[in-house]
Amino acid sequence: MEIEAIPIGDAAEARHARRWRDRRARTTGAVGVVVQVVNQGIRLVVIPLSIKMLGVEQYGLWLVVGSLVAWGGVTDLGLAPGLVNVVATAQGRGDRQEMRRAISTAFAAYGVMALVVAALATGLSRWSGLPGLLGARTPQLAESGRMLVLVCGLIFAASTLTRVVSTTTSALQKGYLGYLSYLAGSLASLGVLLALASGGRGGLLSYALVVSVPPLLAQICLAGYVFGQSHRDLRPGLRWCDGGSLRTLCGFAGPLTVYQLANLGVLYSANLLIANRLGAGMVPQYSVPYAAFTVFIAAASLIVTPYTPAIAEAKARGDWHWIKRRTGQLLLTSVGLFMAGALALTIVGRPFIELWTSKAVQPTMGLLVALMFFGVFRVAGNTINEALTGLGLVRYTAGAFAAVSVFYVATSWLALPAFGLITVPIICGVAQMAYLAVSLPVAFRRIRTGETHVAN
């Protein structure tokens, strides 16, 4: 049952809105954590299986290309998080027509972006400098890299069209639907991959298709359910597109584009930097231990992310007391959850990863400690960033995180040849610490300002 706009002065209705908001966020968070646990179980199988099927060097190339293609996400132009904020705010006011206009306008914009991504992937696959960027140091690897960039880029372009679906479910505080769709795609990919491996067949092209196509099909099915059954009144259509909705989305999209670009720099430049400076074969030595820590980073984020639309909706209702309480609780919970898992992983990580990869990857204790250091500040920064986005402070977020990203990429590129893999998490952790130091006071200052305004 959807709730309508609630008068702030009505205490009973306000309590009802808070319970509904918390229930939706907790449901999404709980489902997300369960899905993450299952998905990490899938990764326990997929990563060693992938290394066995492809070899360390080809698997490293796959990781590098995946990071490169992920940079296509900058063509999102900040629409996804902007759409979450706009739709959640409109829901707080009970304006279903505004919600449909925003969704329809975003869908049309994503159609244009899909064409741009497809064109970029095609052009990049033909670029003479691509093998050097990927660290592909043999003719065979270079040709495989070109093929992967083209295929994965075109699949990524197709998935751009479905992005509005999961974004809409998040905005409606039903993000658990997106998580379940993601899990269905991952399970389908695992099943086909196991069949491929057992039949003795495989190769980079078939591997890429098996890993990429089932999740895309799962998103298409989710679109059919959301807009064809559960929320037909929000189904996108060209007649619902308008300039006003585009201007509203662009008000968020500009700063959020800068933030997304900066975030991509932090998340996806590591593999490219390592491949370029140390060779593609060194990428798994970092990415596999990092993948182990991302289990806990992702679990913490899954608890926090559902509260972004909840904060936007609460802001529209003037419920600043709830925002303040939840933001503090989320910061403590997310960091505590990450530390509990990361400490255990740091202690047993080396023998676990060596066993997991049949000694193809052998991380040092220094690298594991550095990854834990980075993870603490990454999780805390993510939590504050979600609060800032829900509060609409996207311009500040964009500027601060852009500075962090530039520092991280430039310093890592310079230091990698001298200090090796440990460079990446140490520098990224310092950058994340700086972001948290300047962002935390801004978030709580905005909340105090809102409380004062309501009181007056």
Side-chain angles (χ1 to χ4, degrees), residues 220-276:
I220 293 172
C221 292
L222 178 62
Y225 170 73
V226 172
F227 296 124
Q229 183 174 343
S230 63
H231 293 283
R232 294 182 181 179
D233 62 322
L234 299 180
R235 183 184 302 168
L238 288 177
R239 70 187 184 91
W240 287 92
C241 299
D242 65 13
S245 294
L246 183 60
R247 286 190 294 274
T248 301
L249 288 170
C250 288
F252 289 94
L256 286 172
T257 298
V258 176
Y259 171 77
Q260 285 186 328
L261 181 60
N263 196 39
L264 286 169
V266 172
L267 290 178
Y268 294 113
S269 62
N271 289 344
L272 289 168
L273 289 167
I274 292 167
N276 182 262

Side-chain angles (χ1 to χ4, degrees), residues 6-75:
I6 297 173
I8 296 172
D10 191 327
E13 293 290 352
R15 285 194 297 271
H16 170 69
R18 291 172 180 173
R19 287 195 297 269
W20 176 86
R21 191 184 300 134
D22 280 325
R23 185 168 60 250
R24 282 290 178 85
R26 287 168 183 163
T27 299
T28 296
V31 172
V33 170
V34 171
V35 168
Q36 179 69 11
V37 169
V38 176
N39 189 60
Q40 293 305 324
I42 293 173
R43 293 184 75 181
L44 285 173
V45 177
V46 167
I47 289 179
L49 181 62
S50 301
I51 293 174
K52 183 178 180 181
M53 288 178 63
L54 303 176
V56 172
E57 195 166 43
Q58 285 197 96
Y59 181 61
L61 180 64
W62 161 257
L63 294 173
V64 176
V65 170
S67 296
L68 179 63
V69 171
W71 277 88
V74 74
T75 58

